Amino acid sequence: MPTNDQTQSFRLGDRTVNRLGYGAMQLAGPGVFGPPRDREAAVAVLRAAVAAGVNHIDTSDFYGPHVTNQIIRAALSPYPDDLVIVTKIGARRGEDASWRPAFSADDLTRAVHDNLRHLGLEALDVVNLRIMFDVHGPAEGSIAAPLETLADLQRRGLVRHIGLSNVTAAQVREGRGIAEIVCVQNRYNIVHREDDALIDALAADGIAYVPFFPLGGFSPLQSATLSAVAERVGATPMQVALAWLLRRAPNILLIPGTSSVAHLRENLAAGAVQLADDDWAALDRIGVG
Ligand SMILES: NC(=O)c1ccc[n+]([C@@H]2O[C@H](COP(=O)([O-])OP(=O)(O)OC[C@H]3O[C@@H](n4cnc5c(N)ncnc54)[C@H](OP(=O)(O)O)[C@@H]3O)[C@@H](O)[C@H]2O)c1
């Protein structure tokens, strides 16, 4: 169900973040395999994001690999006090740029230390365990063993909060029995609505839901309805797609990715886009039925 709650912040672990954040994956370069063509431009995007009030940045050491975290550190360290950097572990990159599972206790421990070193931190704010049973989408199977390893790293003080990514509702239930889960990061956008019920359940429990590919990811969203509503409200289709997500549920935190300062500013301005109820209803029908 849509919500009229336009609150612009939400709890993430023990911090409160603005609902419009930033996803850093695009900074790694083509194929998320670094280095980027223009490192200074990547630094500029990160600094512009923080200057505009972004205090939630999503990253991973397997973007690049390592490159994105290194750029974040170069651009933003020493970090502002209110900045929450969320990273993810559970995968590694092959030399051919492939995405491979990396779930052993050694893999996960190494990944936490790599993130700490490349970001220049003593503890990671939030670490998402990225499940890789199927790289392209959630697939059932127990997540107990890797999550227990991550919970152990949390007890050692290296990780403050734990999230899950690319997971089913059953895996979220299993995970919450093992550790406190502060966020879930799955693919979701105005077209891909598989997580509708999960989002509402997490909202009821105060857990953040962070959709990846909010703009369609590698296949940008395209819809006649999106374009028509955008024209009517005087916004761009991407802004309307983000405004729809902001209104969809109060626990949705946005991390649209971009390598461009112009797109960054456009995306952050989506917070001011108001959708009338009939436009909301038309948009809501895009991804259902
Ligand atoms: N947990 C996971 O498995 C997982 C998977 C994928 C991503 N993620 C996270 O989610 C974040 C968001 O996902 P994403 O970056 O892949 O996809 P996205 O935010 O849906 O879309 C990014 C794409 O849209 C373009 N774009 C951004 N703003 C635009 C605008 N205003 N107008 C037109 N085009 C625009 C970007 O190109 P330009 O660079 O040219 O702007 C880029 O090609 C990532 O950065 C990453 O942190 C997590």
Side-chain angles (χ1 to χ4, degrees):
M1 289 292 290
T3 171
N4 287 318
D5 187 339
Q6 295 286 333
T7 307
Q8 293 303 310
S9 61
F10 193 79
R11 202 92 182 139
L12 182 56
D14 59 356
R15 316 276 284 280
T16 298
V17 296
N18 297 326
R19 293 182 63 207
L20 270 159
Y22 173 69
M25 187 176 89
Q26 304 296 335
L27 300 184
V32 197
F33 210 64
R37 289 196 192 95
D38 187 343
R39 196 172 190 278
E40 283 315 304
V43 166
V45 171
L46 286 160
R47 289 184 177 157
V50 168
V54 166
N55 57 9
H56 170 207
I57 292 179
D58 186 81
T59 184
S60 175
D61 212 50
F62 51 70
Y63 298 158
H66 319 306
V67 172
T68 300
N69 280 348
Q70 289 163 345
I71 295 174
I72 289 173
R73 180 180 186 172
L76 301 179
S77 176
Y79 300 109
D81 288 344
D82 69 338
L83 179 64
V84 176
I85 299 178
V86 179
T87 190
K88 62 190 80 69
I89 61 175
R92 67 180 173 81
R93 307 298 294 279
E95 284 179 9
D96 57 353
S98 56
W99 303 80
R100 303 189 180 167
F103 266 117
S104 71
D106 277 356
D107 286 331
L108 297 173
T109 304
R110 193 176 313 117
V112 163
H113 284 286
D114 285 350
N115 274 283
L116 287 168
R117 191 169 61 257
H118 293 131
L119 287 167
L121 291 169
E122 289 179 359
L124 299 169
D125 292 322
V126 183
V127 176
N128 285 321
L129 181 65
R130 209 289 184 184
I131 301 303
M132 295 285 288
F133 298 148
D134 177 347
V135 66
H136 299 296
E140 295 296 354
S142 175
I143 63 169
L147 188 54
E148 277 159 9
T149 298
L150 185 51
D152 189 48
L153 292 161
Q154 183 182 37
R155 281 189 288 275
R156 288 165 49 193
L158 302 176
V159 171
R160 292 200 182 94
H161 299 283
I162 294 177
L164 297 172
S165 178
N166 200 39
V167 282
T168 66
Q171 287 164 338
V172 173
R173 273 195 300 280
E174 182 189 28
R176 293 182 68 188
I178 296 170
E180 185 188 355
I181 302 301
V182 302
C183 55
V184 172
Q185 186 177 119
N186 278 0
R187 182 182 73 160
Y188 182 84
N189 57 45
I190 200 165
V191 173
H192 292 99
R193 304 279 298 274
E194 293 85 352
D195 273 355
D196 273 334
L198 178 61
I199 290 169
D200 294 334
L202 294 172
D205 288 346
I207 297 175
Y209 182 89
V210 187
F212 73 75
F213 293 168
L215 301 175
F218 297 108
S219 311
L221 294 170
Q222 284 185 317
S223 147
T225 305
L226 200 53
S227 300
V229 171
E231 200 174 336
R232 199 154 45 244
V233 301
T236 68
M238 294 306 181
Q239 287 176 319
V240 172
L242 295 175
W244 179 84
L245 283 166
L246 284 176
R247 185 170 155 175
R248 167 63 185 77
N251 61 328
I252 289 185
L253 298 179
L254 297 183
I255 50 164
T258 180
S259 54
S260 127
V261 171
H263 283 168
L264 171 80
R265 295 198 199 293
E266 182 183 323
N267 297 342
L268 295 179
V273 173
Q274 297 290 330
L275 297 174
D277 288 345
D278 51 349
D279 282 338
W280 160 268
L283 292 165
D284 200 47
R285 284 192 292 274
I286 293 175
V288 292

